[in-house]
Amino acid sequence: QVQLVESGGGLVQPGGSLRLSCAAAGRVFSNVMMGWYRQAPGKQRELVATITSGGTTDYANFVDDRFTISRHNAKNTVDLQMDSLKPEDTAVYYCRIWLRGRASEYNYWGQGTQVTVSS
């Protein structure tokens, strides 16, 4: 079993920044994928960014160079630095870890952290 605990959400004005953090505890394999997803009210959960154990990153188009995902393999943490935030970034943000090609066997989500962008 794996437990994911997110932190760092909150209320920020448009144009501001937030840093989300997620710590994984339990049976965490060194080659896990890590990522951040988000779900706005009335919308489907969507991918924000992913990062491999080797540090290769991938971002959704809407990120538009505003967010940076990073991970610390030894500490089993993944962060999401979010800059130039927009009201449309308002959502619950979830971290996820999974094994590529084995997500049916190893796939874990955090409880979510609220991000609200409003003046």
Side-chain angles (χ1 to χ4, degrees):
Q1 285 294 331
V2 175
Q3 297 78 43
L4 300 177
V5 178
E6 299 124 335
S7 61
L11 173 64
V12 64
Q13 292 187 341
S17 298
L18 279 176
R19 187 176 184 89
L20 306 182
S21 295
C22 176
R27 194 167 65 105
V28 181
F29 296 105
S30 60
N31 60 335
V32 293
M33 293 286 296
M34 291 184 164
W36 286 94
Y37 291 70
R38 71 185 189 183
Q39 186 167 18
K43 294 189 176 182
Q44 300 257 19
R45 189 173 298 189
E46 60 183 354
L47 183 146
V48 177
T50 63
I51 184 167
T52 70
S53 56
T56 300
T57 59
D58 189 31
Y59 296 92
N61 288 339
F62 63 76
V63 169
D64 198 20
D65 292 329
R66 298 179 297 126
F67 300 172
T68 303
I69 188 171
S70 60
R71 65 188 280 173
H72 194 301
N73 290 332
K75 295 182 178 179
N76 292 327
T77 59
V78 57
D79 292 348
L80 184 69
Q81 175 66 40
M82 303 187 294
D83 300 315
S84 302
L85 283 161
K86 305 174 182 179
E88 51 263 44
D89 294 317
T90 295
V92 178
Y93 284 70
Y94 299 89
C95 73
R96 176 193 180 203
I97 69 168
W98 71 100
L99 283 175
R100 183 178 281 172
R102 294 177 55 189
S104 61
E105 305 166 31
Y106 189 95
N107 182 35
Y108 297 93
W109 293 87
Q111 80 285 356
T113 185
Q114 177 69 47
V115 171
T116 302
V117 185
S118 176
S119 56

